[in-house]
Amino acid sequence: KAGVTQTPRYLIKTRGQQVTLSCSPISGHRSVSWYQQTPGQGLQFLFEYFSETQRNKGNFPGRFSGRQFSNSRSEMNVSTLELGDSALYLCASSPGGGEKLFFGSGTQLSVL
Amino acid sequence: EDQVTQSPEALRLQEGESSSLNCSYTVSGLRGLFWYRQDPGKGPEFLFTLYSAGEEKEKERLKATLTKKESFLHITAPKPEDSATYLCAVQTTGSSNTGKLIFGQGTTLQVKP
């Protein structure tokens, strides 16, 4: 069974730009969660989608948004990038949420 | 505020030297506590879930235990391939049945041959 796939693996952007990251969950998994990982803050929850609906949201500004498609694939978007947005963005899937999460390898975003 | 604290931040062991990693938590209500392992350049990989005080889980050289305030990850006779960052995370009763976890900062373990 294929794991969680995140694309792209690396991204370099400049301040003020916007970026879209993609996540394909494990087949059959309907819950997709997004996390931001930085050396200073560790892993922080961004939001979760289940059956195309945002079910939970962390404490991040509105510049961070996401969506989920009918095939459970998910995208997250960050608008008006700031230097502090440089981080590893991890996507995780689970069958319904609440069970163990399966993480992808992440997208490393660098904002210059 | 719900909080998870791991100690130590970093741990260096000789191969075969057993030790324990600590995860203490302060949450409004605990639904489950998770341990993950993360290798450089990769996402976290699930190890264990513990749900109630007194529960223990084992996998190879790893054993996780849970009390009402903390969890321990015991590593017995570690090998160099056990080198990684170990992450502890909690799911609260307020976020049960969702993908929201609160993570600790992790303990980076290095095992020297």
Side-chain angles (χ1 to χ4, degrees):
Chain A
K1 210 173 191 182
V4 177
T5 303
Q6 290 189 247
T7 56
R9 187 73 179 87
Y10 301 96
L11 264 180
I12 299 175
K13 293 285 186 179
T14 57
R15 278 185 303 171
Q17 287 186 311
Q18 76 166 23
V19 66
T20 299
L21 313 181
S22 179
C23 172
S24 293
I26 291 172
S27 177
H29 286 192
R30 296 167 65 190
S31 167
V32 174
S33 300
W34 289 89
Y35 286 81
Q36 180 194 65
Q37 186 174 30
T38 60
Q41 299 296 320
L43 271 134
Q44 293 186 288
F45 174 78
L46 281 157
F47 33 65
E48 180 202 13
Y49 285 86
F50 179 82
S51 293
E52 302 179 64
T53 301
Q54 188 179 87
R55 184 161 68 177
N56 224 328
K57 191 177 189 305
N59 296 325
F60 279 82
R63 301 185 295 107
F64 292 82
S65 63
R67 59 178 176 169
Q68 186 180 33
F69 302 95
S70 58
N71 61 358
S72 292
R73 190 177 70 85
S74 178
E75 289 181 347
M76 70 162 280
N77 184 77
V78 187
S79 63
T80 319
L81 284 166
E82 300 177 359
L83 295 178
D85 296 333
S86 295
L88 179 66
Y89 289 89
L90 292 161
C91 165
S93 74
S94 66
E99 316 92 335
K100 62 185 180 183
L101 300 181
F102 294 83
F103 284 86
S105 292
T107 294
Q108 184 67 53
L109 172 65
S110 297
V111 182
L112 306 178
Chain B
E1 182 185 350
D2 298 326
Q3 198 168 7
V4 178
T5 304
Q6 291 187 245
S7 62
E9 288 186 19
L11 182 62
R12 289 184 180 181
L13 299 174
Q14 288 296 131
E15 184 173 1
E17 179 186 3
S18 302
S19 188
S20 295
L21 281 56
N22 176 263
C23 170
S24 62
Y25 58 90
T26 306
V27 296
S28 50
L30 179 71
R31 182 182 182 272
L33 186 140
F34 298 76
W35 282 98
Y36 285 86
R37 166 190 171 131
Q38 186 173 26
D39 293 298
K42 295 188 176 181
E45 177 185 352
F46 172 80
L47 291 173
F48 304 107
T49 308
L50 302 166
Y51 290 104
S52 55
E55 189 175 0
E56 298 181 351
K57 294 269 180 78
E58 283 189 71
K59 178 182 179 180
E60 297 181 356
R61 295 177 292 282
L62 300 177
K63 179 180 178 180
T65 62
L66 180 65
T67 72
K68 287 187 177 180
K69 292 186 177 181
E70 58 191 349
S71 176
F72 292 93
L73 184 65
H74 307 278
I75 304 178
T76 302
K79 297 181 178 181
E81 53 262 42
D82 294 322
S83 298
T85 296
Y86 291 85
L87 296 163
C88 169
V90 300
Q91 185 180 58
T92 67
T93 51
S95 297
S96 60
N97 300 317
T98 76
K100 181 179 180 180
L101 298 179
I102 302 168
F103 280 85
Q105 293 284 75
T107 293
T108 300
L109 172 66
Q110 183 181 32
V111 182
K112 295 185 174 182

